[in-house]
Amino acid sequence: MPKAQHAKPKATAQQTAKSQPKKKSPSEDKKQHKDSKQKPAPVVNEHEKKKQTFIVRTIWTLVMIVGMFSIISAGPLWTIAFVILLQIMVFKECIAITSKGAQNEDLQHSSYLNWYFLATTLFYLEGRSLIKYTFAFLLGSSYTPSLALKLLIHHKFICYCLYVLGFVGFVALLRTNSLKAQFTQLCITHMLLIFVISQGYCIVNNIMHGMFWFLFPAGLVITNDIFAYLCGITFGKTQLISISPKKTVEGFVGAWVCTTIMSILLTYIISNSYYFICPVNGNLSVNCLSGITCDPNPVFIEQIFTLPVDLAKLLGRDYIYLKPIYLHSMVLATFASLFAPFGGFFASGLKRAVKVKDFGDTIPGHGGVADRMDCQFLMGSFSYLYYEAFISTDQFNVGNLLQTIVINLSVEEILVLVTSLLNYLYKMGAIDEDVHNKIIELLI
């Protein structure tokens, strides 16, 4: 008996129509062809891309330079406020890219502690600078209450207590399942306080020494960065450091030469204004229109330099007149060119570690604020230490003396000191006998 054959069901007309590709009408085919002509595939032109990046970067560089000069012209108080703002913004950007672990662990209190430690450190360091240079003004002002003076006297102790309070808060908020993330965040926070806030403290002191010591180092870093970029895209072939592939030896060396030459021009321009070379003597409210005058530091005064024998024969003279600041400026230019860029390399390593391109997008063409300040902090701390070691001639001032007296002497001892000073002024002829006797009577 033959096996029954299973007949396959015939496909319906509807199924057949679905399986077959739908034929396009001539009008639809023509329309699709027209759309393909109107929307060609985007072609990436590296030359145009670099050109556009260069234009944006140049424009915002000029904007930053003009903005910085405007703030500097407003006076040291606004400049200090600007530096403090920059420190806060850099701290914010660095914390944002390095605290992903804490965010994943939902440790919101760690963010609050970061800002608490920042505020405490700023209050200690920047407050210390302001007290050092304005104590005499605050002590003599009739608007300064006695409570404020007591707080100024015990500033260090108050700051220590505030820090200990934050430390206790950190330990109290430790969670067993998130210890690694919390301690990692604490270490990152303190590293940023050392690299950003501590070096920012040096920059604030540079402002107090005179605007020159803030503007000139900052100008050297900006100059070096511009010429490193220009020399790099023009002559760059040899990679300088693996952590920053775009940095080249040609750009590095070319920027050094150009920055050293430009340092002489910058020194000539800036050092001829009293507003830039005069230190801040307790009055932070001055500006570029205040007509400041002072006895300039000897480095800003022409001095006679004896030339080496061979060089004297070549030039036909035994000595030259030169301001020592020009020699110091070349030292600062060398540091700005050969050492300060490693602050940028350090920042590049940090960005690679956390896998981000920039610290932020605050400045078009430049990334975040931290991307522009990475070299400035290192340059600022070097300028501060260089000034203290080789430039400063005034290690003791009225503010320091008054602060020492008020903190270390009792009221009775201060009265004895005042009486002794009055006797000295009377004997030197600075005050007459009647004034001397009246003041003594009032004190007694």
Side-chain angles (χ1 to χ4, degrees):
M1 193 172 173
K3 294 182 180 180
Q5 294 181 353
H6 297 280
K8 295 182 180 179
K10 293 183 179 180
T12 62
Q14 185 178 3
Q15 290 174 338
T16 305
K18 286 183 179 180
S19 62
Q20 292 179 354
K22 185 178 180 180
K23 292 184 178 180
K24 298 179 181 178
S25 63
S27 60
E28 290 178 346
D29 189 46
K30 189 175 181 181
K31 182 179 179 182
Q32 184 178 4
H33 181 68
K34 185 178 180 181
D35 291 341
S36 63
K37 285 185 177 181
Q38 290 178 349
K39 299 179 181 179
V43 179
V44 178
N45 190 326
E46 289 296 330
H47 178 71
E48 290 296 327
K49 186 177 179 181
K50 287 183 178 180
K51 181 180 178 181
Q52 184 66 26
T53 302
F54 174 76
I55 293 173
V56 174
R57 189 182 180 95
T58 302
I59 292 173
W60 279 93
T61 298
L62 295 175
V63 170
M64 287 188 289
I65 292 174
V66 172
M68 187 178 71
F69 273 105
S70 301
I71 294 172
I72 290 173
S73 300
L77 180 62
W78 291 100
T79 308
I80 292 172
F82 176 65
V83 171
I84 294 175
L85 177 63
L86 289 177
Q87 293 179 73
I88 295 173
M89 294 179 70
V90 171
F91 183 86
K92 178 184 177 182
E93 291 177 352
C94 293
I95 284 293
I97 68 171
T98 57
S99 61
K100 294 179 181 178
Q103 293 174 0
N104 294 335
E105 297 286 346
D106 193 24
L107 301 175
Q108 187 64 34
H109 57 271
S110 296
S111 175
Y112 299 143
L113 280 175
N114 292 336
W115 289 102
Y116 177 83
F117 283 123
L118 172 65
T120 303
T121 306
L122 284 173
F123 179 61
Y124 172 68
L125 292 177
E126 313 306 351
R128 182 181 177 183
S129 296
L130 294 175
I131 291 172
K132 177 181 178 182
Y133 290 97
T134 62
F135 192 82
F137 174 78
L138 294 173
L139 191 61
S141 174
S142 58
Y143 297 100
T144 307
S146 58
L147 178 61
L149 291 176
K150 292 179 180 179
L151 293 176
L152 293 177
I153 293 170
H154 302 294
H155 174 255
K156 290 183 180 179
F157 182 76
I158 293 172
C159 292
Y160 176 77
C161 291
L162 291 174
Y163 179 83
V164 170
L165 184 62
F167 178 79
V168 171
F170 170 79
V171 177
L173 293 172
L174 285 175
R175 296 180 182 178
T176 307
N177 58 343
S178 304
L179 290 176
K180 183 177 180 180
Q182 287 181 279
F183 277 101
T184 299
Q185 193 60 41
L186 180 69
C187 293
I188 291 173
T189 300
H190 282 72
M191 184 194 75
L192 291 174
L193 293 178
I194 293 173
F195 280 92
V196 177
I197 310 305
S198 297
Q199 295 190 98
Y201 159 78
C202 296
I203 296 176
V204 170
N205 277 275
N206 289 339
I207 297 172
M208 296 296 189
H209 295 153
M211 283 294 189
F212 177 91
W213 302 105
F214 166 73
L215 179 59
F216 181 70
L220 288 179
V221 172
I222 295 172
T223 301
N224 183 260
D225 186 53
I226 293 173
F227 280 109
Y229 181 73
L230 294 176
C231 295
I233 62 175
T234 306
F235 309 107
K237 294 182 180 179
T238 309
Q239 184 177 337
L240 175 65
I241 188 169
S242 60
I243 205 167
S244 295
K246 294 183 179 180
K247 305 296 182 181
T248 61
V249 175
E250 292 81 4
F252 190 73
V253 176
W256 177 24
V257 175
C258 295
T259 304
T260 303
I261 296 172
M262 283 297 297
S263 68
I264 299 174
L265 178 61
L266 288 174
T267 302
Y268 176 78
I269 296 172
I270 303 174
S271 64
N272 286 316
S273 172
Y274 278 112
Y275 177 69
F276 292 119
I277 65 176
C278 289
V280 176
N281 292 319
N283 188 6
L284 294 173
S285 61
V286 298
N287 55 54
C288 63
L289 303 177
S290 299
I292 301 173
T293 57
C294 64
D295 293 327
N297 190 293
V299 297
F300 296 107
I301 301 174
E302 283 191 346
Q303 299 180 19
I304 299 176
F305 287 88
T306 304
L307 297 175
V309 177
D310 295 336
L311 185 58
K313 290 181 180 179
L314 180 64
L315 298 178
R317 56 188 305 176
D318 297 328
Y319 59 88
I320 59 171
Y321 290 97
L322 182 68
K323 293 180 180 179
I325 190 59
Y326 287 104
L327 302 177
H328 294 295
S329 67
M330 288 190 283
V331 176
L332 293 173
T334 299
F335 184 89
S337 302
L338 302 184
F339 298 97
F342 281 85
F345 301 153
F346 176 85
S348 298
L350 178 60
K351 288 185 287 187
R352 285 180 174 273
V354 297
K355 298 179 181 179
V356 297
K357 182 181 179 181
D358 294 313
F359 284 99
D361 54 0
T362 308
I363 310 172
H366 293 268
V369 177
D371 293 288
R372 294 298 92 214
M373 292 298 296
D374 46 15
C375 302
Q376 292 286 2
F377 287 119
L378 194 61
M379 186 69 202
S381 59
F382 174 79
S383 302
Y384 168 74
L385 294 173
Y386 187 85
Y387 176 90
E388 293 292 337
F390 303 106
I391 307 295
S392 178
T393 58
D394 185 17
Q395 300 291 341
F396 199 73
N397 55 44
V398 176
N400 291 339
L401 178 60
L402 284 175
Q403 192 174 358
T404 303
I405 291 171
V406 173
I407 292 175
N408 296 285
L409 299 182
S410 64
V411 176
E412 292 78 11
E413 290 172 328
I414 293 176
L415 286 173
V416 173
L417 176 62
V418 172
T419 304
S420 301
L421 290 174
L422 285 171
N423 292 332
Y424 170 77
L425 292 174
Y426 168 66
K427 292 178 181 179
M428 296 299 295
I431 58 176
D432 56 33
E433 185 176 0
D434 292 337
V435 174
H436 172 265
N437 292 335
K438 287 180 180 179
I439 297 177
I440 294 295
E441 289 176 3
L442 290 173
L443 291 175
I444 296 176

